[in-house]
Amino acid sequence: MLECSFKKYLGHDCPGCGAQRSFFELMQGNFLESLTLFPALIPLLFTFVFLVLHLVFKFKHGARVLIISFSLSAFIMAFNFILKLL
């Protein structure tokens, strides 16, 4: 796994810390453990998959769905980061 330079130099988890471990847990079928490590992984994966599908199929309201799903992912990441700091 890649080492987080943010955590290495500043001593705190970055907003994306846990994403790699969460992805590996999800691939092994450990859904709850994945959500515990990085709650924004599922919305981020949905966003990326939907982005690729939208680029290929040009959905009518695809841009709106992407904005909403990206905003939700960013909110979850920020909320989780604040909780880790506390």
Side-chain angles (χ1 to χ4, degrees):
M1 290 219 202
L2 298 174
E3 182 179 14
C4 177
S5 58
F6 189 92
K7 187 172 185 173
K8 180 180 177 181
Y9 294 116
L10 298 178
H12 295 287
D13 286 349
C14 72
C17 273
Q20 288 180 36
R21 291 174 289 164
S22 178
F23 182 75
F24 288 128
E25 290 295 331
L26 186 64
M27 292 299 106
Q28 293 175 357
N30 301 328
F31 184 75
L32 291 177
E33 182 68 22
S34 174
L35 282 176
T36 304
L37 290 170
F38 190 68
L41 180 68
I42 304 297
L44 277 175
L45 288 176
F46 169 79
T47 302
F48 289 130
V49 169
F50 190 82
L51 173 65
V52 171
L53 291 174
H54 176 60
L55 290 174
V56 173
F57 297 110
K58 308 283 190 235
F59 299 123
K60 184 176 181 180
H61 299 289
R64 182 172 301 181
V65 172
L66 284 170
I67 290 170
I68 292 169
S69 64
F70 179 76
S71 299
L72 176 67
S73 300
F75 174 77
I76 293 171
M77 285 177 66
F79 186 74
N80 188 44
F81 178 64
I82 291 169
L83 284 179
K84 284 182 182 180
L85 289 177
L86 300 177

